[in-house]
């Protein structure tokens, strides 16, 4: 009799646990839409940049003028979080003579990882167009403890007029990343 009670209690507990799991799973999106992590610590999406100093500086690089040589710099995005990421948006905020951003051109490439891998063009246009934010498609998902290098080239075309003389500008470029890198409405 005692064994029957233990068996009945165990069975009732299992039924309750199964019901709880079914209720919890009912609100869970399909695995194609997200990744479920079961652990005590929440996963984090975190990125560091290198170098942590302004990339373009007139004391080191000179000034931009119509027809000036293109200046190229490199920025590394390092995944210091637990989740992979992919670059999805570029945005710029300007300080100073904002009009100067209409005369400057910028090309941003996501460099390939291996020898012979073609760079991925993220943006090519005026610096001012980045003020509205531009959706881009990063080529690779960057895993934990790995990085991606961006090549930023800035110049002023020879067709720019004299109206840019004497203007100075500071631009902060924001790079937005996303997780999951393959998420596109549940399709792969």
């Amino acid at each position: 009799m005692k064994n029957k009670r233990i068996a009945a209690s165990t069975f009732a507990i299992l039924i309750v646990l199964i019901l709880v799991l079914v209720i919890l799973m009912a609100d869970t999106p399909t695995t194609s839409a997200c990744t479920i992590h079961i652990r005590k610590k929440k996963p984090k999406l975190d990125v560091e940049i290198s170098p942590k100093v302004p990339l373009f500086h007139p004391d080191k690089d000179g000034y931009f003028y119509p027809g000036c040589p293109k200046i190229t710099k490199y920025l590394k995005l390092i995944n210091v979080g637990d989740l992979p990421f992919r670059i999805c948006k570029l945005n710029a905020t300007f300080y100073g003579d904002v009009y100067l951003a209409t005369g400057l051109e910028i090309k941003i490439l996501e460099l390939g990882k291996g020898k012979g891998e073609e760079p991925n063009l993220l943006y090519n246009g005026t610096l001012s167009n980045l003020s509205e934010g531009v959706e881009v498609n990063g080529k690779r998902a960057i895993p934990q403890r790995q990085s991606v290098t961006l090549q930023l080239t800035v110049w002023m075309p020879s067709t720019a007029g004299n109206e840019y003389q004497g203007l100075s500008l500071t631009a902060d470029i924001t790079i937005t990343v996303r997780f999951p890198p393959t998420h596109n409405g549940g399709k792969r």
Side-chain angles (χ1 to χ4, degrees), residues 167-186:
L167 300 180
S168 66
L169 169 76
T170 300
D172 290 336
I173 296 178
T174 304
I175 301 163
T176 305
V177 300
R178 67 181 165 127
F179 169 80
T182 57
H183 179 64
N184 60 358

Side-chain angles (χ1 to χ4, degrees), residues 93-102 104 127 167-171:
T93 305
F94 305 114
Y95 308 94
D97 299 313
V98 176
Y99 182 68
L100 180 56
T102 64
L104 291 172
L127 186 60
L167 300 180
S168 66
L169 169 76
T170 300

